[in-house]
Amino acid sequence: MARFSGEDEVMLQAMLRQLFQSVKEKITAAPSLECAEEILLHLEETDENFHNYEFVKYLRQHICDTLGSMIEEEMDKWTSDQNQGEESGYDTVVQHVTKRIQASKEYKEMMHSLKNTMMVVVESMINKFEEDETRIQEMQKKIQKEKSSSYCTDNCSDSDSSFNQSYKLCQGKLQLILDHLDPAQPKEVRYEALQTLCSAPPSDVLNCENWTILCEKLTVSLSDPDPVFSDRILKFYAQTFTLSPLHMTKEIYTSLAKYLELYFLSRENHILTLSAGIDTTNPNVIRLLKKVRLLNEYQKEAPSFWIRHPEKYMEEIVESTLSLLSVKYDQSHLVSQKILDPIHFLALVDTKAVWFKKWMHAYYSRTAVLRLLEKKYKSLVTTAVQQCVQYIELCETMKADEIWQHSKHCGIKQKTFYYSGQELQYIYFIHSLCLLGRLLIYTQGRKLFPIKLKNRKDSVSLIDLLVLFTQLIYYSPNGPKMTSAAHLENYSPASMVTEVLQILCDHKECAIECLYSNTVIETLLQPIYNLMKETKAAPNCSETALIHIADILARIASVEEGLILLLHGENMNSSGGKNPTGAHIIAQFSKKLLDEDISIFAGSEMLPVVKGAFISVCRQIYDTCEGLQVLIPYSLHESIAKAWKKASLLSERIPTPIKGSDSVSLVNQESQNIVAWEENLLDDLLHFASTPKGLLFLQSTGAMNECVTFMFNQYAKKLQISRHKKFGYGVLVTQVASTAAGATALQSSGFISALITELWASLECGRDDVRVTHPRSTPVDPIDPSCQKSFLGLVNLLSYPAIYELVGKQGLPNKAEYSLREVPTCIIDIIDRLIILNSEAKIRSLFNYEQSHIFGLRLLSVACCDLNTLLLLEAQYQVSERLLNAQEENILEISESHRNFIIDGLSVERNHVLVRINLIGGPVERILPPRMLEKGDDPYPWPMFSSYPLPDCYQPEVTTNGDLKQDSDLGKLLLCFKMSDKQTEWIENCQRQFCKMMKDKPDIISGSVLIELLEKFVLQLSESPSECYFPSVEYTATDANVKNVSLSSVQQLGIKMTVRYGKFLNLLKDGAENDLTLILKHCERFLKQQQAPVKSSLHILFNLQGSYTGHDWFVSSLFMIMLGDKEKTFQFLQQFSRLLTSAFLWLPRLHNSRYLPTDTIESGIHPIYFYSTHYIEMILKAEVPLVFSAFHMSGFAPSQICLQWIAQCFWNYLDWIEICHYIATCVFLGPDYQVYVCVAIFRHLQQDILQHTQTQDLQVFLKEEALHRFRVSDYFEYMEILEQNYRPLLLRDMRNIKVQGT
């Protein structure tokens, strides 16, 4: 480089120009100088032509000539050093050589020489550039002078500062520009200075020493009357906002805000008045609006990046804005005219206050805004409230059509160039409404209230403001009554207020503080109340307003706190006696709408929409157990069903449109409206199935099949269950599947078939060949995650009523051959193809035999946890025999005297299922073998078996309590039965002593003591007319009379199971099986005397004997309590059958009973479901809300598992002593304790339930796992608290179980 010549300089300049020309676009697009430098530094990574540039080639050759030999020497040296050791990678060599070269003297000399050369070249290029620039400016000045009169601002582009034009602005030039911008200078000079300023990089301008003076000059120039000049300054501002970082744009923004503030404060400017309005064609107005709009655009963009900068920058922007908006013109000399403030113009360009919404979104900026509003600029909030108050006063004093004329401008959005004073006030009102709505969302914003207004005695509180908002919905106009008026609603007061209230509803903390108030609810309901009373105020409320009100009420009702307020709020403040709560008024109004009992809306096109909106509110209420209880008197299900049937008939009568007729579109629209209305009503009916009692009401309407079909269609389309529901159809399906009629509807709708088809596609194969081209990975879990959802869906269907209805009295296909593409479609097919694989044909038909069979065995394990289901499957398909045969086939014969079981996934799973279905017992009364192998030499130490009896290791030794009659407390308890006090006092005394014993010494209440207590207490109650709920029934049959009574195979298997369990507990002896058989025959005959004839297609009701289809677990339990004494057991049952408690403990007691209403009998739903489990869900939601939420998240209903627990008297879930305590507690303390025990169990299981909700196997856990460590006595105090809170409601409802007069 020492021989650097003039030719070399010219050559290097050419190379650099080529490089700069190639990257020109990238550099000019850079927002700042720093970014441009970054682009050049990383050019090799981003430019594919980098190595083709002549300058890059020159540098590479220069490095090679200078350092090439040195690089080769270093590489040879490194290679020779590494020959003795391990080979190193190429990257290691490069790193080592590079480091050595960079540290060398030669490298440093080369860099120094190269730097000096390039400095000479660059300096020469800069000098030439400045000469060219000066010549260009002279030429432009000459052209300007010639054409200054016709110069147009459009010729000046915001992109003037290109790479070839921009240069670093020195202080001398900037000072010259400042001098030329002086207002005293000629127009051409000032314009030229501004042009030069715009062509310079904004960073140079804002970083200069004279920036403060320049800012003042620019601020003064904004007032220049020359439109070209002022527009060019605005373009400079816009360019600065776009290209500069925040600390620079902040200066520009605050200067613009300060200018506007001074503009509005100055009396010299021509300030517009409200009465004169705004003419947007006026040049002065145009310039002012452009400045305000530029300010607003930056307001909306700034929040996206100001968090990356110090807080003081953001605070300066916020404060300058609030200071501007708080400006109030001194109107002391203009008493009669109101001056337009800055906020009027801001509202004109940003009507919905989007800028404020963005500023309040992030905590970073929201804190500063709220702090400044509280300390310095609270007047801004006060003025906003004042605008809302003034508008509502206007609405109250003017006619609706007059107000509509004032507000139609924003509503219709027609093109206009003039805004009247009323329109400006209306726009300002909308801006204030949106600003206040956003402010109320946040705690600190709400703390700004109450607000003191001028000319108003009382301050405006939060509640006052919300009442005002609510009144705006039905006071203000909504435009013409059109079914499709979405385009009119953008800025109408009602839709704007509704939008604000919707946002408040979505923020729970805000809604609780603002909306969940009796005063606000009363205001919302006032027009409804007026319509029902047909007062003079009623006609003022339009259908659109009612739809808005219904939407807000639905959102309130969808939250627990809001629902409680609607259900239990204070009476409405209106005349005439005791008024109902909000829920009652909504239900009454909805019923009147459905029955078309409100004359004012007769014939209205929007009536169906109004109906749907208010039924939606009711749906949020009757979706819950507590809400349904309140709405029962209004029989809404009947009204909705009636409306649905009417809509269904109308949809069938729609004429077929004729091609070419003008009525085609009209008919199509009408048909769409009717179909949509019909589907809405079906959806409303379907949601009654959210609760057990609601499901009974749904079935009574006769629309069960149609509703379930509608649900399946929605599910198949993957549509959301409801706007206010976070989870899917799982709970609804579970509730429906808990009944026989519901299971039939699920089958006929195609839901079960679709679920099984989906399962088969995941487990085996689908109907297409996708699996062939995209085979899945080999499963490693017993149930593959792809099948888990289908597995849980089937588990939800496995209630005993559903299983009996879908499987009862049906044999297996057992085909000789199965096609590989034959997909199961029903529960019978699943049993045949996945569970009972008793033929080679079934095994060969499965692609994944082991995986699929394990799936079936897991499903069988869950299903058989319901003992009635177990007995049914055992009676029909001999499940245990099939499993034992399969285990026998899995034996490996080592010698004639020694055989070993082959231990694999299937044999281990079968062993678990066999132990589960053959042993009865609570958590400590049986041991279930694990399903997983253990580590070590003996991976599965549990003995397998292929025949009965089971190995002893699965049944631990049990101990029974001895005779504890000598206990003093027990003596007191037994003494109670000998006292002759008044009946009520006697009962209360016995119950008190029983509770004391249960809390202090629960183990005493067992064996002979329990027998004596139950016998004496029930005998006393049955002889008291006031305690007897059912009438006495004469029964004279003897053992000989019932010998010919045949018991079902399910009952017979249940007897064997009971005797086996009783003998294990040392409670029964050898003759117990015959005695229990006789008792069950007597019970069947005894109860048949009290049954009513039934006409039903349900299998669960219409069987050969007409008797209860499951086993009588209560009688079996009582037989064991009575230690196998046949006479004592049946005598007790006859006495007990007169008590109300028998209806809830003894399930066959009310099977087809004549004491029940006919429609209840024909529903096939046992009162346990729609009374006990209904109240369990209601109390669970109130007392253990986390557990209730966990059920909904899991898509499972508490009612189904509780029905299973209660139906089998907690067999297999509790130890025997706890089962005795459960029965004794319900007998002594009342049937409502059945509910409290279940709630206590859920409370006990809370942590386990929450854990299994996360692992997504809650259903399986609750059905398969025993209730470990739960003791009834431990929760007695808790159940007593529940009794105090809920007994009046529960017992009152339970006593209404039978038909009056029976």
Coordinates of all heavy atoms in Angstrom, one line a residue, residues 268-301:
E268 N -55.6 35.6 20.6 CA -55.3 36.1 19.3 C -55.8 35.2 18.2 O -56.2 35.7 17.1 CB -53.8 36.4 19.1 CG -53.2 37.4 20.1 CD -51.7 37.5 20.0 OE1 -51.2 36.8 19.1 OE2 -51.1 38.3 20.7
N269 N -55.9 33.9 18.5 CA -56.3 33.0 17.5 C -57.9 33.0 17.4 O -58.6 33.2 18.3 CB -55.9 31.5 17.8 CG -54.4 31.4 17.7 OD1 -53.8 31.8 16.7 ND2 -53.8 30.9 18.7
H270 N -58.3 32.6 16.2 CA -59.8 32.6 16.0 C -60.3 31.3 16.5 O -60.3 30.3 15.8 CB -60.1 32.8 14.5 CG -61.6 32.7 14.2 ND1 -62.5 33.6 14.6 CD2 -62.2 31.8 13.5 CE1 -63.7 33.3 14.2 NE2 -63.5 32.1 13.5
I271 N -60.8 31.2 17.7 CA -61.3 30.0 18.4 C -62.7 29.8 18.0 O -63.6 30.7 18.0 CB -61.2 30.1 19.9 CG1 -59.7 30.4 20.3 CG2 -61.7 28.8 20.5 CD1 -58.8 29.3 19.9
L272 N -63.0 28.5 17.6 CA -64.4 28.2 17.1 C -65.3 28.0 18.3 O -64.9 27.6 19.4 CB -64.4 26.9 16.3 CG -63.5 27.0 15.0 CD1 -63.4 25.6 14.4 CD2 -64.1 28.0 14.0
T273 N -66.6 28.4 18.1 CA -67.6 28.2 19.2 C -68.4 27.0 18.9 O -68.5 26.5 17.7 CB -68.5 29.4 19.3 OG1 -69.2 29.6 18.1 CG2 -67.7 30.7 19.7
L274 N -69.0 26.4 19.9 CA -69.8 25.2 19.8 C -71.0 25.5 18.9 O -71.4 24.7 18.0 CB -70.3 24.7 21.2 CG -71.0 23.4 21.2 CD1 -70.1 22.3 20.7 CD2 -71.5 23.1 22.6
S275 N -71.7 26.6 19.1 CA -72.9 27.0 18.3 C -72.6 27.1 16.8 O -73.4 26.8 16.0 CB -73.5 28.3 18.8 OG -72.5 29.3 18.7
A276 N -71.4 27.5 16.5 CA -71.0 27.7 15.1 C -70.7 26.4 14.4 O -70.7 26.3 13.2 CB -69.8 28.7 14.9
G277 N -70.3 25.4 15.2 CA -70.0 24.1 14.6 C -68.6 24.1 14.0 O -67.8 25.0 14.1
I278 N -68.3 23.1 13.2 CA -67.0 23.0 12.5 C -67.3 22.7 11.0 O -67.9 21.7 10.7 CB -66.2 21.8 13.1 CG1 -65.7 22.2 14.5 CG2 -64.9 21.5 12.2 CD1 -64.9 21.2 15.2
D279 N -66.7 23.5 10.2 CA -66.7 23.3 8.7 C -65.4 22.8 8.3 O -64.4 23.5 8.3 CB -67.0 24.7 8.1 CG -67.1 24.5 6.5 OD1 -67.0 23.4 6.1 OD2 -67.2 25.5 5.8
T280 N -65.4 21.5 7.9 CA -64.1 20.9 7.6 C -63.5 21.3 6.3 O -62.5 20.8 5.9 CB -64.3 19.4 7.6 OG1 -65.3 19.0 6.7 CG2 -64.6 18.9 9.0
T281 N -64.2 22.2 5.5 CA -63.6 22.7 4.3 C -62.9 24.0 4.6 O -62.2 24.5 3.7 CB -64.7 23.0 3.3 OG1 -65.7 23.9 3.8 CG2 -65.5 21.7 2.9
N282 N -63.0 24.6 5.8 CA -62.3 25.8 6.2 C -60.8 25.5 6.3 O -60.4 24.6 7.0 CB -62.9 26.3 7.5 CG -62.3 27.6 7.9 OD1 -61.1 27.8 7.9 ND2 -63.1 28.6 8.3
P283 N -59.9 26.3 5.6 CA -58.5 26.0 5.6 C -57.9 26.0 7.0 O -57.1 25.2 7.4 CB -57.9 27.1 4.8 CG -59.0 27.6 3.9 CD -60.3 27.4 4.7
N284 N -58.4 27.0 7.9 CA -57.9 27.0 9.2 C -58.2 25.8 10.0 O -57.4 25.2 10.8 CB -58.4 28.3 10.0 CG -57.9 29.5 9.4 OD1 -56.7 29.6 8.9 ND2 -58.7 30.6 9.4
V285 N -59.5 25.3 9.8 CA -59.9 24.1 10.5 C -59.1 22.9 10.0 O -58.7 22.0 10.8 CB -61.4 23.9 10.3 CG1 -61.9 22.5 10.8 CG2 -62.2 25.0 11.0
I286 N -58.9 22.9 8.7 CA -58.1 21.7 8.1 C -56.8 21.6 8.7 O -56.3 20.6 9.1 CB -58.0 21.9 6.6 CG1 -59.4 21.7 5.9 CG2 -57.0 20.9 6.0 CD1 -59.4 22.0 4.5
R287 N -56.1 22.8 8.8 CA -54.7 22.8 9.4 C -54.7 22.3 10.9 O -53.9 21.6 11.3 CB -54.1 24.2 9.3 CG -53.6 24.5 7.9 CD -52.7 25.7 7.9 NE -53.3 26.9 8.4 CZ -53.9 27.8 7.6 NH1 -54.1 27.6 6.3 NH2 -54.5 28.9 8.2
L288 N -55.7 22.8 11.6 CA -55.8 22.5 13.0 C -56.1 21.0 13.2 O -55.5 20.3 14.0 CB -56.9 23.3 13.7 CG -57.1 23.0 15.2 CD1 -55.8 23.3 16.0 CD2 -58.2 23.9 15.8
L289 N -57.0 20.5 12.4 CA -57.3 19.0 12.5 C -56.1 18.2 12.1 O -55.9 17.1 12.6 CB -58.5 18.7 11.6 CG -59.9 19.1 12.1 CD1 -61.0 18.9 11.1 CD2 -60.2 18.4 13.4
K290 N -55.4 18.6 11.1 CA -54.2 17.9 10.7 C -53.2 17.7 11.9 O -52.6 16.7 12.1 CB -53.5 18.5 9.5 CG -54.1 18.2 8.2 CD -53.3 18.9 7.0 CE -53.9 18.5 5.7 NZ -53.1 19.1 4.6
K291 N -53.0 18.8 12.6 CA -52.1 18.8 13.7 C -52.6 17.9 14.8 O -51.9 17.1 15.4 CB -51.9 20.2 14.3 CG -51.2 21.2 13.3 CD -51.4 22.6 13.6 CE -50.8 23.5 12.5 NZ -51.1 24.9 12.7
V292 N -53.9 18.0 15.1 CA -54.5 17.1 16.1 C -54.4 15.6 15.7 O -54.1 14.8 16.5 CB -56.0 17.5 16.4 CG1 -56.6 16.5 17.4 CG2 -56.0 18.9 17.0
R293 N -54.7 15.4 14.4 CA -54.7 14.0 13.9 C -53.2 13.4 14.0 O -53.0 12.3 14.4 CB -55.1 14.0 12.5 CG -55.3 12.6 11.9 CD -55.9 12.6 10.5 NE -56.0 11.2 10.0 CZ -55.0 10.6 9.4 NH1 -53.8 11.2 9.2 NH2 -55.1 9.4 8.9
L294 N -52.2 14.3 13.7 CA -50.8 13.8 13.8 C -50.5 13.5 15.2 O -49.9 12.5 15.5 CB -49.9 14.9 13.2 CG -48.4 14.6 13.3 CD1 -48.1 13.3 12.5 CD2 -47.6 15.8 12.8
L295 N -51.0 14.3 16.1 CA -50.7 14.1 17.5 C -51.4 12.8 18.0 O -50.8 11.9 18.7 CB -51.3 15.2 18.4 CG -50.9 15.3 19.8 CD1 -49.5 16.0 19.9 CD2 -51.9 16.2 20.6
N296 N -52.6 12.5 17.5 CA -53.4 11.3 17.9 C -52.7 10.1 17.3 O -52.7 9.0 17.9 CB -54.8 11.5 17.4 CG -55.7 10.3 17.7 OD1 -56.1 9.5 16.9 ND2 -55.9 10.0 19.0
E297 N -52.2 10.2 16.1 CA -51.6 9.0 15.4 C -50.4 8.6 16.3 O -50.1 7.4 16.5 CB -51.2 9.3 14.0 CG -52.3 9.5 13.0 CD -53.1 8.2 12.8 OE1 -52.4 7.1 12.9 OE2 -54.3 8.2 12.7
Y298 N -49.6 9.5 16.7 CA -48.5 9.2 17.6 C -48.9 8.6 18.9 O -48.3 7.7 19.5 CB -47.6 10.4 17.8 CG -46.3 10.1 18.6 CD1 -45.3 9.4 18.0 CD2 -46.2 10.4 19.9 CE1 -44.1 9.1 18.7 CE2 -45.1 10.1 20.6 CZ -44.0 9.4 20.0 OH -42.9 9.1 20.7
Q299 N -50.0 9.2 19.5 CA -50.5 8.7 20.7 C -50.8 7.2 20.6 O -50.6 6.4 21.6 CB -51.8 9.4 21.1 CG -51.6 10.9 21.6 CD -52.9 11.6 21.7 OE1 -54.0 11.1 21.2 NE2 -52.9 12.8 22.3
K300 N -51.4 6.8 19.5 CA -51.8 5.4 19.3 C -50.6 4.5 19.0 O -50.6 3.3 19.3 CB -52.8 5.3 18.2 CG -54.2 5.9 18.6 CD -55.3 5.7 17.6 CE -55.1 6.5 16.4 NZ -56.3 6.4 15.5
E301 N -49.5 5.0 18.5 CA -48.3 4.2 18.2 C -47.3 4.1 19.3 O -46.7 3.1 19.5 CB -47.6 4.8 16.9 CG -48.4 4.6 15.6 CD -48.6 3.2 15.3 OE1 -47.7 2.4 15.6 OE2 -49.6 2.8 14.7

